[in-house]
Amino acid sequence: MIDFHNHIIPNLDDGSKSIEMSINMLREAELQGITDVVNTVHFQHPKMHKKNTSYDFVISEINKLQSKLDKEKIKIKIHAASEVFFNFNLTQILDNPITTFGNAKYMLIEFQKLSFPKGYEDEIFKLQLEGIVPIMAHPERYRGIQKDVNTAKRWIDRGFIIQIDCASILGKFGKDAQDCAKSLLENQLCHLVGSDAHNDKNRNFLLKKTHEKLLDIIGENATNIIKNNSQRVLEGNDCLSYEITKKRKTFLDTLFSFGKR
C-alpha cells in the first residue's frame, strides 16, 4: 500500500519531532503493509513561518531519514511532496518542485477549516490550465463541506480529486468529520484516503484499519479502486472513480437478522 499524505520527516513541520519518532511511525507503517510514503510537508502555511521548504533542503532531510530506514531494514521508500496551503499564488509557486508530485501532475491543497476564500475555484482553474490536477486535502474536516457535500460533487465535476483522512473515517476527528466522510464515500465523492500521520501517538499511520472500515461502507471493489488510486497518483496517472459494491441493508434484512437471534 501507498500512503501519500503524511508528515514523517523530523522537525520539518508540525509532524515528527525526532528521528526516533519517525522510525517508530514507519515501523508501524511497514507492519500495515505500506511500502511507499509520500511525505507532504506543509507549504506556505502560517505555521511554517521561517521554516525552510526549499526543494534541496527537503530532499536532503528525506535522504537522511531514508538512509536510517535502510540501515534499520525498514522496507519503505520515501517520496517528496507538499501539502500546499491555499493562497492566490498557486501558479507562481510551481518553480519549487516540492509543490507537485506524481511526475509533476498533482498538487495537494488544503484550506483553513471555517470557510473558502472568494474566488478560490478561479485560482485553482489557473492551476489546471498549467496541467496540474488539484487534490483537495481532507474536505470532510471543512465546515462548508460538512454543511453541504454537494460542494465536493461540484469539485469533482471541475476535475478536482478528493482525499479523505483515515482518522476522519475512524472517528478520531469527531462525529461531524466522521459523518461527512461517510457521506462522501457513500455518494462516490472520494478518490483517495491518506493517513495524514503526524506522530507516533494519537496521529500515526492508520491505512490498514481504514481500508477494513471502507469494506463495510462501500464494499471490496470500491475499496480496491481507492487503494489502487494511490499507486496511480504516485505514477502520475489518472484516478479512477468507483461504484458502491456493498449491498445496503433493507428493513426486511434487519428484521430477518433480528429474528435469527
Side-chain angles (χ1 to χ4, degrees):
M1 291 192 293
I2 296 170
D3 189 284
F4 79 96
H5 185 173
N6 52 76
H7 304 266
I8 57 161
I9 307 303
N11 300 310
L12 203 58
D13 53 17
D14 64 339
S16 173
K17 302 304 180 187
S18 67
I19 189 73
E20 292 77 18
M21 180 179 286
S22 297
I23 293 298
N24 287 341
M25 294 169 70
L26 290 162
R27 285 192 192 281
E28 173 60 28
E30 185 181 41
L31 288 174
Q32 293 181 28
I34 295 171
T35 59
D36 295 76
V37 300
V38 182
N39 179 77
T40 47
V41 59
H42 286 292
F43 189 89
Q44 72 179 17
H45 195 287
K47 70 179 70 173
M48 296 298 289
H49 182 58
K50 293 186 178 180
K51 292 274 192 177
N52 190 347
T53 53
S54 69
Y55 180 76
D56 289 342
F57 177 73
V58 173
I59 291 297
S60 70
E61 295 301 296
I62 286 177
N63 288 341
K64 289 178 187 177
L65 181 56
Q66 186 68 64
S67 178
K68 184 68 173 177
L69 287 183
D70 295 343
K71 289 178 181 178
E72 296 285 335
K73 300 188 185 305
I74 299 174
K75 297 180 180 179
I76 288 179
K77 172 68 175 175
I78 306 173
H79 305 264
S82 65
E83 181 178 14
V84 175
F85 190 79
F86 179 85
N87 207 334
F88 289 92
N89 67 342
L90 298 183
T91 57
Q92 282 79 53
I93 62 176
L94 292 176
D95 59 339
N96 186 338
I98 205 69
T99 59
T100 60
F101 60 103
N103 295 325
K105 178 171 181 172
Y106 291 99
M107 178 184 287
L108 181 67
I109 303 171
E110 69 169 333
F111 293 85
Q112 60 97 359
K113 296 178 182 179
L114 296 181
S115 62
F116 302 114
K118 184 177 180 180
Y120 76 93
E121 289 180 332
D122 292 336
E123 178 66 21
I124 293 177
F125 181 64
K126 295 177 186 176
L127 188 70
Q128 291 175 291
L129 291 177
E130 297 292 329
I132 308 297
V133 178
I135 299 177
M136 311 302 270
H138 44 64
E140 77 285 352
R141 294 167 56 188
Y142 301 143
R143 187 71 56 81
I145 304 298
Q146 291 173 358
K147 289 182 177 179
D148 184 10
V149 295
N150 286 320
T151 300
K153 183 181 185 305
R154 186 176 75 243
W155 286 354
I156 290 176
D157 290 341
R158 293 177 70 101
F160 301 1
I161 299 299
I162 302 293
Q163 176 257 310
I164 297 177
D165 276 0
C166 293
S168 298
I169 296 169
L170 298 175
K172 296 181 180 295
F173 282 133
K175 190 175 187 301
D176 288 343
Q178 185 178 36
D179 289 347
C180 186
K182 185 177 180 183
S183 180
L184 290 169
L185 287 161
E186 290 178 338
N187 286 282
Q188 300 162 265
L189 302 176
C190 175
H191 301 91
L192 302 158
V193 297
S195 285
D196 201 357
H198 277 66
N199 57 57
D200 59 355
K201 300 293 190 299
N202 61 324
R203 291 191 70 178
N204 208 340
F205 288 93
L206 296 167
L207 216 51
K208 183 177 180 181
K209 287 183 180 179
T210 299
H211 283 304
E212 291 170 354
K213 183 70 173 178
L214 291 182
L215 293 174
D216 292 333
I217 299 174
I218 58 176
E220 183 176 4
N221 291 340
T223 298
N224 286 338
I225 288 173
I226 287 178
K227 187 184 297 186
N228 291 335
N229 275 344
S230 293
Q231 178 77 44
R232 298 181 68 85
V233 165
L234 189 59
E235 295 173 348
N237 296 318
D238 293 339
C239 285
L240 302 177
S241 58
Y242 63 88
E243 295 182 359
I244 301 295
T245 55
K246 181 174 176 60
K247 182 177 180 291
R248 297 177 185 269
K249 282 189 176 182
T250 66
F251 173 75
L252 290 178
D253 290 331
T254 304
L255 190 64
F256 180 71
S257 63
F258 180 78
K260 291 173 67 176
R261 294 177 184 175

